[in-house]
Amino acid sequence: MGTLLAWGGLVAAPLLLHLLSRRKYREVQWAAMQYLLAAIKKNSRRVQIEQLILLLLRTLAVACIVLAAAKLFFENSPIAGSSHQRTHRVIVLDASYSMAYKPADRSRFESAKQLAENIVQQGTQGDGYSLVLLGAPPRVVVGNPAFEPRDFLEELKNIHLAHTGADLSATLQQVEQVITAAKTEHPRLVAREIYFLTDLGRNTWQPDLKETSADDFRARSQRLAKEARLVVLDLGQPTWENVAVTGIQLADSTLATARDATIEAEIKNFGNQSITRLPVEWYVDGRRAGQDAVDLDAAGRATVALTHHFDTPGDHSIEARLASDLLPVDNHRWLSLRVKPQLRVLCVGSGQSDGYLAPAEYLALALRPDDDRADSSDIQCDVLGESSLADADLASYDCVFLANLGQFTASEGTLLSSYVAHGGNLVWFLGEQVQLDSYNRRLCSLDTGAERALPARLTGFAPAGQYMFDPLDYQHPLLAAYRGRSDHTLQATLVTRYVKAELPPLSKARVALAYENGDPAIIEEAIGRGRSILVTTSADRSWSVMPLIGSLNELVYEMLGWVVHPAAPERNLLVGQPIGDTLHGQAVAANVQLHIPGGEQQQLRLNIDGDYSVWSFADTQLSGLYKAELPSPWGVESLSAVNVDTSESDLTAADPTELSAKLWAGVPFTHLTDWQDIAEAAADAAPRRHVLQVYLLSIAIICLLAETFLAWRFGTRGA
Amino acid sequence: METYQKYFDPRTLASLEGLELRAKRIVEGYVSGVHRSPYHGFSIEFAEHREYVPGDDLRFVDWKVFGKTDKIYLKQFEEETNLISYMLLDTSESMRYQSSQAAMSKLEYAQCIVAALSYLVLQQQDSVGLVTFDREVRSFVRASGNPSHLKQLLHVMSNAAAERKTRLGPVLHDLAERLKKRGVVLVLSDFFDDVPAMLTGLKHFRHRRHEVIVFHILDPAELDFPFDRMTLFKGLEEWPDLLTDPRSLRKAYLEEFGAFQKQLRVGCRNAGIDYFEMRTDQPLDMALTTYLTRRMMQYKM
């Protein structure tokens, strides 16, 4: 309001001067007054019009000078400023890896940085600048507005492209927070502008949001549009080509002790042109181990495989690599394999037998290598009674099977919860002994922050009957080995009793296998760094025929193979996800030396947590191998493979029309699609503004000359 | 500037104290430069000069010429009919006006003319009378040819106060009735009054067979209206004050003023009256030339 008055006052200055000038005059005596009065009488109307014309010319001249001095931007300029008001400009820089696409001498990201620099350099004194990276997760680089362009540009210069995707919703949330804070702390910044410097990738700008999330997103966008002017500067190209390694995994379910492994890599052509004989190279532990060549149709996929024998146990890396293209980030994919010399399994069960064996013994029997799937030395299986659980050294076991245990003490609950949280694996089988309340209270409390060891709460015993499994289309990876097979006995398994279970609210647990009535049969959940699997029926013959028909053996083996997988998910992650490890025992040295892709190294503190030592690293912004050198007593290397989320490899741009019709319905924004236009707009913005100023000043000069001439003309015409 | 010409310059005259001195300077300057004047041949107090030859009467030597040229000339006088000149001087408040462009007010300028002409007239042994007036006659000095009469004229003029409004028409009628002896009537005024009424008054003089010469005394600012910023014009002669931007009114004012002058000039011409515009920033010799031209015509008739 005050600013408006100030500007209004400036433009009204001629009028005020005109009025004031009537108070500032010279005095003369005048004899020929009658002729002067006669002149006024005859010409008063003409004089008024002439005075008005002169006043308008003076006002216009002053207004033009004021506007020129204020370096006004106009709405039709893409690099617009908000007239004479101090402006808070939030630059949202797309830092998803698709911005690394380099069609010419500069990548999209470099172009975006240059454009951001231009925006800042073309600002006016008093403007503030914030910088938010559009990523997954988003990152606020400069939150509190920087008023010194040099400081901002220094921050901008130090920004490097991460290999993340982009979470637009979370980014807008951050932007809103930045703007809200700036409004409070810098009330003089009365105008706001948000620039999205992006390739407008479809995966980012047309996210598959649930309806409620979409509503929230739209509401937030509308709030932002009310607060600020939204400008989307599209740095994408209309045509592009890209090939990426979209997946890498072990070809079959293999125990961590297996020395021979087949690794498959999936190659996808995201472009519109077919490719022949595309070379694919394999690297194992950094050494070239093989090469393939694939043919790819437009938008086609191909799979290549490598069979490799690992001579030594420990962590190994496998890399599938493509020849470089315009987007090199997704031309690599890594896999981290942990080959163990032996698996240690503990089976804990009640002593109650079904007349043949106790449940734990069935499990031990199932894990006994009496088939050709593993060497006898691969698995060391120990069996303990229920009463010995509290004294067991769980941390020394890769997996603990618990069968038909009746109830748990608090310390047992804590022991099991701690074990699974630190990376241990639990597999639960139930039975007649189970006391539901003890399970729920000790192992699956609903209290916030309570420790858990069980993925679901037990709600009651199902009545005796005949229940068959529903494999749920084998969607869960635990059942991946059954997929497409007809020789397995899982579907022929009859269950007569089971315990009903339900997932706690907001649980991340998943049902891997169900009964035909819809009740869960197998529920799994990652708890902490470990995993817990609940099988709602028994491991012995009392509730199911699994031990009789062999399906128990296969199921137990698959579960063990899944939870103790050589390519464990906690060591094969996506960019942005934290890496780390829980080690059994206490370290001598306190630090872990972490080698980051790109050559950087970091010292990480090793935290002691009871019988465990824990390290973690959250800032995985680059794809590649993260190698942790563990101190004594372990003295080994831990490898984590961090890969890109290849949804970002699809460089298809979002349709801005669809964007304004759906996700940003009712959200006004300026969108520029032509890269050349944007570049020229950025390059020409200041000159154009100067041209505008020249125009304004020219008009002012013309007005002043016209005013002088007309004043003279009005005074001398006909004289 | 020639030596003689400087005495016609109002700025020079303004630096001189006293009307008498001013009058003498004007006339002397005029006389010394007369042979350069376009009006060469006019007789002032001599018809011509003749070079001195031994035996000539030294009383007729023109010593002033001798002083200026080191040559001895004799003045040859012609017999002339005595002429009565009536000087009618407007002493109203508007005559007090003096702009920054002028070295003297209109009244002072007019007084200089009256003084110079009176001096000249008396030098020629003609008679001169003086009337000062505004809305009525303020002083009336009868015509006389006595050289000492000049002092009285100058005294009356010096004491004239410009304070009142002009009302020229009735005054002229009044004077036309009072000035019975035929002569040359010189009216010196800015004539800021009702033109038809003034013309009627002037025609009254013509009716009385006077030769009438109108010296329209005007300040350059009244003719050029040079004001270029907001000005408060303080009206003289009871006119109201006026605050205005003069630039916007200049054209209209000049039109109005020009119309006034034209009406007066045309009216005078139609009535057989000589009309002369006198700007107070211009030399005064025009007045003398004008008068002497009229005097010559009278003489020749």
Side-chain angles (χ1 to χ4, degrees):
Chain A
M1 191 63 190
T3 311
L4 279 176
L5 284 173
W7 287 115
L10 271 174
V11 176
L15 185 61
L16 295 171
L17 288 172
H18 175 79
L19 294 172
L20 286 171
S21 70
R22 298 187 65 85
R23 298 186 58 83
K24 189 180 178 184
Y25 48 81
R26 59 184 292 194
E27 281 187 20
V28 296
Q29 288 192 321
W30 189 244
M33 185 60 81
Q34 63 222 73
Y35 310 106
L36 197 54
L37 290 170
I40 287 176
K41 190 175 179 181
K42 283 188 178 179
N43 294 274
S44 59
R45 190 169 187 80
R46 180 182 63 79
V47 168
Q48 281 180 344
I49 291 169
E50 288 174 352
Q51 290 276 7
L52 188 62
I53 290 168
L54 293 175
L55 181 62
L56 286 173
L57 284 170
R58 291 165 191 162
T59 306
L60 183 58
V62 172
C64 287
I65 291 167
V66 166
L67 291 177
K71 296 183 179 180
L72 279 179
F73 291 93
F74 286 95
E75 284 293 315
N76 58 357
S77 166
I79 310 300
S82 69
S83 67
H84 49 278
Q85 297 171 321
R86 288 189 171 193
T87 305
H88 181 201
R89 292 189 175 85
V90 181
I91 294 172
V92 182
L93 194 62
D94 188 342
S96 61
Y97 76 77
S98 62
M99 293 289 286
Y101 190 70
K102 195 172 180 179
D105 57 333
R106 284 197 308 187
S107 70
R108 292 171 173 179
F109 190 68
E110 288 163 340
S111 300
K113 283 173 74 172
Q114 182 60 56
L115 202 51
E117 189 176 328
N118 291 343
I119 290 169
V120 173
Q121 286 176 337
Q122 288 151 20
T124 53
Q125 194 170 7
D127 290 349
Y129 300 93
S130 294
L131 180 61
V132 178
L133 295 188
L134 170 55
R139 188 155 66 95
V140 178
V141 180
V142 181
N144 194 30
F147 293 93
E148 183 53 58
R150 276 183 307 178
D151 297 343
F152 181 89
L153 294 176
E154 191 62 31
E155 290 286 350
L156 182 70
K157 186 180 172 185
N158 293 330
I159 296 288
H160 296 289
L161 188 68
H163 296 173
T164 63
D167 185 343
L168 183 61
S169 181
T171 304
L172 289 187
Q173 202 171 344
Q174 296 278 17
V175 169
E176 189 174 35
Q177 288 172 5
V178 165
I179 282 186
T180 304
K183 274 175 68 180
T184 307
E185 293 174 29
H186 303 281
R188 286 192 299 175
L189 293 172
V190 291
R192 280 164 287 279
E193 293 165 358
I194 304 170
Y195 293 93
F196 295 91
L197 277 59
T198 175
D199 56 7
L200 209 68
R202 183 191 287 166
N203 56 300
T204 300
W205 290 87
Q206 290 181 342
D208 184 19
L209 297 173
K210 291 178 183 175
E211 195 54 42
T212 51
S213 301
D215 291 344
D216 290 346
F217 179 86
R218 200 174 296 113
R220 177 169 288 113
S221 302
Q222 286 168 344
R223 285 199 301 273
L224 283 173
K226 281 182 186 173
E227 291 285 353
R229 182 166 169 265
L230 308 185
V231 181
V232 176
L233 302 180
D234 187 349
L235 293 104
Q237 288 74 34
T239 58
W240 47 270
E241 293 295 329
N242 186 37
V243 182
V245 185
T246 53
I248 186 166
Q249 61 276 322
L250 283 174
D252 50 15
S253 181
T254 309
L255 276 182
T257 52
R259 298 296 178 87
D260 290 308
T262 300
I263 302 104
E264 289 180 344
E266 184 187 63
I267 318 298
K268 184 175 179 183
N269 179 9
F270 289 93
N272 297 315
Q273 295 179 3
S274 58
I275 300 169
T276 55
R277 308 300 298 158
L278 177 71
V280 183
E281 293 178 307
W282 288 100
Y283 289 82
V284 175
D285 295 330
R287 289 186 295 275
R288 198 167 180 276
Q291 179 168 346
D292 273 310
V294 294
D295 295 337
L296 289 163
D297 294 331
R301 296 170 188 266
T303 302
V304 291
L306 172 73
T307 301
H308 188 81
H309 176 79
F310 295 97
D311 298 324
T312 56
D315 285 5
H316 297 274
S317 68
I318 299 97
E319 178 192 356
R321 186 187 299 178
L322 299 177
S324 187
D325 58 11
L326 299 182
L327 182 58
V329 177
D330 57 9
N331 291 347
H332 311 255
R333 205 158 188 88
W334 292 266
L335 186 69
S336 170
L337 290 180
R338 179 163 292 176
V339 178
K340 294 197 171 190
Q342 191 180 52
L343 287 179
R344 298 195 71 220
V345 179
L346 175 65
C347 296
V348 184
S350 68
Q352 188 177 358
S353 165
D354 61 358
Y356 180 61
L357 290 172
E361 291 171 323
Y362 276 107
L363 292 171
L365 193 64
L367 291 166
R368 188 178 302 150
D370 57 354
D371 51 34
D372 57 356
R373 284 179 299 192
D375 190 85
S376 59
S377 62
D378 285 352
I379 302 172
Q380 180 194 328
C381 185
D382 298 331
V383 179
L384 284 178
E386 185 174 7
S387 59
S388 304
L389 176 62
D391 301 322
D393 179 17
L394 299 187
S396 62
Y397 292 96
D398 296 300
C399 186
V400 177
F401 285 80
L402 302 108
N404 198 20
L405 297 185
Q407 57 184 341
F408 300 90
T409 63
S411 61
E412 287 172 337
T414 301
L415 178 73
L416 291 165
S417 299
S418 177
Y419 169 71
V420 73
H422 286 98
N425 299 290
L426 297 171
V427 180
W428 304 86
F429 281 85
L430 304 179
E432 295 282 1
Q433 301 293 319
V434 170
Q435 293 188 25
L436 305 183
D437 180 62
S438 179
Y439 271 74
N440 292 334
R441 193 154 42 88
R442 302 293 186 199
L443 306 173
C444 191
S445 172
L446 288 177
D447 293 345
T448 306
E451 295 171 326
R452 284 197 306 121
L454 197 66
R457 289 178 64 80
L458 308 182
T459 58
F461 293 92
Q466 296 186 350
Y467 304 100
M468 303 297 289
F469 288 135
D470 174 6
L472 303 175
D473 296 329
Y474 307 103
Q475 289 297 309
H476 196 280
L478 197 154
L479 302 182
Y482 297 96
R483 227 173 277 160
R485 283 173 49 196
S486 58
D487 60 342
H488 66 81
T489 55
L490 196 62
Q491 283 184 297
T493 300
L494 176 69
V495 175
T496 56
R497 295 288 306 275
Y498 66 93
V499 176
K500 290 190 174 188
E502 67 175 19
L503 278 54
L506 305 175
S507 170
K508 293 180 182 176
R510 292 184 297 170
V511 178
L513 184 71
Y515 298 105
E516 287 180 334
N517 61 8
D519 286 342
I522 299 178
I523 302 168
E524 66 83 17
E525 184 184 8
I527 299 174
R529 294 187 56 80
R531 196 171 291 279
S532 178
I533 301 174
L534 170 64
V535 182
T536 58
T537 188
S538 67
D540 61 5
R541 295 180 304 166
S542 58
W543 281 10
S544 87
V545 297
M546 282 195 295
L548 296 175
I549 63 173
S551 54
L552 178 70
N553 297 18
E554 194 167 16
L555 188 62
V556 166
Y557 192 83
E558 289 303 327
M559 287 192 291
L560 179 64
W562 187 61
V563 297
V564 192
H565 196 271
E570 59 267 24
R571 288 191 305 279
N572 289 278
L573 301 147
L574 294 178
V575 171
Q577 294 177 331
I579 59 172
D581 206 351
T582 298
L583 308 165
H584 180 229
Q586 294 192 0
V588 174
N591 290 328
V592 170
Q593 185 81 4
L594 182 69
H595 298 264
I596 295 170
E600 273 190 63
Q601 294 185 31
Q602 280 207 23
Q603 294 273 345
L604 302 177
R605 185 159 187 79
L606 202 55
N607 296 312
I608 309 301
D609 185 7
D611 293 335
Y612 301 93
S613 298
V614 181
W615 69 270
S616 64
F617 177 74
D619 194 22
T620 56
Q621 294 296 305
L622 299 175
S623 59
L625 286 168
Y626 289 73
K627 185 170 70 174
E629 292 178 3
L630 305 178
S632 297
W634 306 283
V636 293
E637 287 182 352
S638 169
L639 285 179
S640 297
V642 175
N643 291 302
V644 296
D645 176 356
T646 53
S647 61
E648 197 65 29
S649 296
D650 184 354
L651 302 181
T652 308
D655 181 358
T657 311
E658 194 176 342
L659 180 66
S660 58
K662 290 183 180 177
L663 198 64
W664 266 7
V667 179
F669 67 97
T670 303
H671 170 254
L672 293 166
T673 55
D674 193 315
W675 161 243
Q676 287 301 325
D677 281 356
I678 295 168
E680 286 168 15
D684 297 346
R688 186 165 54 245
R689 211 150 28 110
H690 292 155
V691 167
L692 179 65
Q693 287 173 288
V694 168
Y695 281 138
L696 287 168
L697 289 172
S698 300
I699 292 168
I701 290 167
I702 289 166
C703 286
L704 291 171
L705 289 172
E707 190 273 345
T708 307
F709 172 76
L710 287 176
W712 169 81
R713 187 84 183 97
F714 293 157
T716 60
R717 190 174 48 197
Chain B
M1 190 181 284
E2 297 280 357
T3 306
Y4 68 90
Q5 282 182 326
K6 71 181 182 183
Y7 296 117
F8 309 142
D9 183 8
R11 282 191 292 272
T12 306
L13 291 171
S15 66
L16 300 176
E17 288 293 331
L19 267 177
E20 187 174 3
L21 181 58
R22 290 180 183 181
K24 284 181 180 179
R25 289 280 187 272
I26 293 166
V27 175
E28 284 169 3
Y30 190 79
V31 170
S32 63
V34 74
H35 59 284
R36 293 184 181 83
S37 164
Y39 300 99
H40 174 67
F42 291 169
S43 172
I44 307 171
E45 65 218 66
F46 45 90
E48 59 182 13
H49 284 101
R50 176 171 63 77
E51 277 200 61
Y52 170 81
V53 291
D56 284 344
D57 190 345
L58 289 176
R59 286 180 301 169
F60 303 119
V61 171
D62 189 337
W63 296 112
K64 286 180 184 172
V65 174
F66 173 74
K68 290 181 169 69
T69 63
D70 289 337
K71 290 181 180 179
I72 301 174
Y73 283 91
L74 297 184
K75 294 183 281 188
Q76 289 192 319
F77 294 98
E78 294 186 21
E79 246 186 89
E80 296 170 1
T81 306
N82 188 265
L83 180 73
I84 300 174
S85 297
Y86 299 104
M87 308 287 176
L88 277 56
L89 177 61
D90 181 358
T91 59
S92 65
E93 193 179 14
S94 64
M95 289 293 284
R96 196 175 65 193
Y97 179 67
Q98 177 190 346
S99 70
S100 58
Q101 287 81 28
M104 50 179 68
S105 69
K106 291 189 285 184
L107 180 59
E108 288 173 317
Y109 190 88
Q111 285 173 336
C112 284
I113 293 172
V114 171
L117 287 176
S118 300
Y119 180 77
L120 192 64
V121 167
L122 290 171
Q123 285 285 314
Q124 290 180 287
Q125 281 134 44
D126 286 338
S127 300
V128 60
L130 173 67
V131 177
T132 61
F133 64 89
D134 40 52
R135 62 183 175 213
E136 57 189 28
V137 174
R138 291 293 165 191
S139 58
F140 189 100
V141 183
R142 293 189 177 279
S144 167
N146 192 330
S148 63
H149 185 56
L150 180 65
K151 287 195 183 299
Q152 188 187 356
L153 294 177
L154 298 180
H155 175 75
V156 169
M157 273 198 295
S158 299
N159 293 329
E163 292 172 357
R164 297 177 184 86
K165 196 171 169 62
T166 314
R167 190 59 58 85
L168 200 51
V171 170
L172 290 175
H173 281 294
D174 179 32
L175 288 172
E177 290 297 323
R178 289 168 67 174
L179 303 177
K180 300 203 182 322
K181 241 185 165 183
R182 222 162 39 94
V184 178
V185 178
L186 292 93
V187 187
L188 297 96
S189 170
D190 54 15
F191 295 97
F192 290 167
D193 198 3
D194 181 43
V195 175
M198 289 188 298
L199 286 171
T200 307
L202 291 170
K203 285 174 186 175
H204 199 160
F205 280 109
R206 290 294 294 145
H207 180 68
R208 292 285 183 176
R209 300 185 65 194
H210 289 286
E211 292 298 322
V212 183
I213 300 172
V214 164
F215 285 124
H216 195 178
I217 313 296
L218 293 170
D219 190 277
E222 291 168 337
L223 288 160
D224 301 336
F225 204 66
F227 307 103
D228 57 359
R229 57 182 241 219
M230 189 62 66
T231 305
L232 176 64
F233 293 94
K234 297 181 78 68
L236 299 174
E237 296 189 9
E238 300 170 16
W239 288 102
D241 296 352
L242 176 66
L243 177 64
T244 187
D245 180 0
R247 290 188 303 175
S248 62
L249 280 173
R250 184 167 184 272
K251 172 182 166 291
Y253 165 80
L254 292 177
E255 283 175 357
E256 286 294 321
F257 200 80
F260 151 69
Q261 270 191 293
K262 184 180 178 182
Q263 188 182 13
L264 183 62
R265 189 171 55 244
V266 171
C268 288
R269 192 176 61 226
N270 292 343
I273 298 166
D274 289 338
Y275 170 90
F276 295 100
E277 177 191 293
M278 303 292 290
R279 289 174 60 115
T280 59
D281 61 344
Q282 289 181 345
L284 289 90
D285 56 337
M286 173 63 75
L288 299 174
T289 301
T290 303
Y291 172 78
L292 291 170
T293 303
R294 175 62 55 185
R295 173 74 178 78
M296 179 65 78
M297 290 171 70
Q298 287 276 331
Y299 174 74
K300 289 194 183 301
M301 287 190 296

